[in-house]
Amino acid sequence: MDRFNAALEVVPMIEIPPGVWRTKSGQIPLFDHPTLISNMFHYEGRNTNRFEDTLRLINIGFIDEGALFLSSLIMHFRCMSERQVRHLARDRFSKQNEIASRLRSLRKIGWFESLVIEDPETGAKETLWWLGLTAVQYFQFQGHGADLQDPWLLINNNKLVIAVCAVNQMRAWFEDRDLIEKASYCPQWPKGEKPRPFATFVVRTVHGPLTLYVERLTQAGKPVHYMQTKIAMYEDMIRESGELIREQGGSAMVVWSVGSFHAIEEIVGSIDHLPDSLLQAFVCDESMEDFPNAAFFFAQKIGRRGEVRLKPLQMDLF
């Protein structure tokens, strides 16, 4: 079989369990859906790619300036939804469908990898993209190793891809307005080592740089345990440094990225310890259309287990 042939593996629909966290309109946010249908594009040449073939495709113009722009964009974001790619690349291409066609043609040679996720209730779909082995080899050759994510890690961990794309909703807003100064990711860390921030975004504000430590909490994982682990990590940072590490002259806060207001209430209502020493707020997918001015919320337990009060945080800093 031709190594450029590919097929989609369809994961059968799974019945949605009761008690899932939904938006106020009754939907499950796509990036926080516990029973997504996921289709992984299979490229049969992953293990047989040669770097010489990649250079030849660049030399003949198959991988051109437009393709390299899309590749650089996705590389710096680690993973992106196609909606995010189209929005941030819209001024570089005369036609929106040109972006989609380039992504898919380059996927056939292993330059990009993709995952299609689908809501089994509504049929809503999104394609998620990251660099394939062919592109990673090229960018390593160009000296961009620090910005590269191991494609095999993402191929074998769909939940990680979805989580990174979820927090990148926030980054995309800042990037679109040229407010990002720095961005880094550490979605996983080696077993036995100390945990690290999932993502760190340093953004420009009218009051100086703001360092956002962004963590993704999902109902398909163990959100309460994960949050407790990360709270302990940030408390250690404060004990060792006297405060959350921040850019000089700026401030810092922790942002918990979740799918819905329902998620905030369930997680905060179940956690034992929300330290006052840690400036922290929640942003949910449900309110991203109102980002940033009406998208950040403080959460406070107000009594018996499960009672949570949400207070909007005005972020008129940008």
Side-chain angles (χ1 to χ4, degrees):
M1 181 182 291
D2 188 331
R3 71 189 181 96
F4 294 116
N5 288 339
L8 286 175
E9 177 186 359
V10 179
V11 179
M13 184 182 300
I14 302 173
E15 183 178 352
I16 298 172
V20 296
W21 303 339
R22 296 178 179 270
T23 66
K24 293 179 180 178
S25 64
Q27 296 182 338
I28 305 173
L30 191 60
F31 288 152
D32 193 35
H33 204 301
T35 55
L36 283 172
I37 301 171
S38 58
N39 301 329
M40 179 72 200
F41 187 86
H42 284 182
Y43 166 59
E44 296 185 353
R46 282 194 187 110
N47 295 319
T48 59
N49 285 328
R50 296 188 307 165
F51 186 58
E52 295 83 355
D53 294 335
T54 301
L55 293 180
R56 180 179 62 83
L57 292 172
I58 293 173
N59 289 334
I60 66 175
F62 183 79
I63 301 173
D64 60 7
E65 183 178 345
L68 291 176
F69 171 79
L70 292 175
S71 307
S72 179
L73 177 64
I74 294 173
M75 174 182 69
H76 290 299
F77 275 70
R78 302 302 191 270
C79 315
M80 298 181 74
S81 71
E82 186 162 327
R83 189 185 307 272
Q84 293 163 2
V85 176
R86 283 172 176 261
H87 184 71
L88 292 179
R90 64 191 184 281
D91 294 334
R92 293 295 296 260
F93 298 90
S94 58
K95 298 179 180 179
Q96 282 288 295
N97 62 359
E98 186 180 356
I99 297 174
S101 63
R102 282 173 178 264
L103 290 170
R104 284 159 179 77
S105 65
L106 290 166
R107 180 177 63 180
K108 294 178 181 178
I109 62 167
W111 188 267
F112 291 125
E113 298 283 356
S114 70
L115 174 73
V116 179
I117 57 175
E118 178 180 352
D119 185 326
E121 287 185 308
T122 66
K125 293 182 180 180
E126 185 62 81
T127 305
L128 314 181
W129 297 90
W130 63 97
L131 295 190
L133 184 60
T134 307
V136 167
Q137 290 173 338
Y138 172 75
F139 282 109
Q140 284 176 333
F141 177 74
Q142 294 292 319
H144 293 283
D147 294 317
L148 295 170
Q149 185 73 54
D150 179 3
W152 287 106
L153 172 66
L154 302 176
I155 289 168
N156 295 318
N157 193 335
N158 292 353
K159 291 180 180 179
L160 189 60
V161 173
I162 296 167
V164 174
C165 288
V167 302
N168 276 339
Q169 295 178 103
M170 190 184 310
R171 178 178 176 181
W173 190 93
F174 291 122
E175 289 281 4
D176 194 34
R177 291 154 180 81
D178 195 29
L179 294 175
I180 286 281
E181 293 186 356
K182 296 179 183 178
S184 61
Y185 300 82
C186 186
Q188 286 190 329
W189 58 91
K191 188 175 182 179
E193 293 189 8
K194 291 183 177 180
R196 306 164 193 172
F198 186 93
T200 306
F201 304 147
V202 179
V203 298
R204 285 189 295 276
T205 78
V206 295
H207 300 301
L210 172 63
T211 301
L212 301 175
Y213 293 103
V214 186
E215 304 288 348
R216 181 65 177 179
L217 305 174
T218 64
Q219 58 185 319
K222 298 178 179 178
V224 173
H225 174 73
Y226 183 89
M227 188 176 184
Q228 289 170 329
T229 300
K230 289 306 184 82
I231 285 175
M233 178 193 73
Y234 289 115
E235 287 186 310
D236 286 344
M237 182 189 296
I238 291 172
R239 276 193 292 271
E240 293 170 4
S241 304
E243 61 184 1
L244 288 175
I245 298 174
R246 55 190 173 87
E247 292 294 299
Q248 185 174 3
S251 54
M253 67 183 299
V254 176
V255 178
W256 304 102
S257 168
V258 298
S260 62
F261 292 109
H262 188 184
I264 301 175
E265 293 166 354
E266 291 293 333
I267 294 170
V268 174
S270 300
I271 202 162
D272 295 328
H273 178 53
L274 277 176
D276 295 331
S277 60
L278 188 62
L279 179 59
Q280 53 189 317
F282 287 83
V283 171
C284 58
D285 303 348
E286 184 176 359
S287 63
M288 280 306 297
E289 290 186 0
D290 300 319
F291 191 88
N293 292 337
F296 288 82
F297 291 85
F298 290 128
Q300 180 184 17
K301 296 183 73 168
I302 57 175
R304 64 182 183 274
R305 184 180 179 88
E307 286 192 56
V308 177
R309 176 185 292 130
L310 298 180
K311 181 181 178 181
L313 170 63
Q314 296 301 317
M315 292 291 283
D316 51 352
L317 306 173
F318 310 107

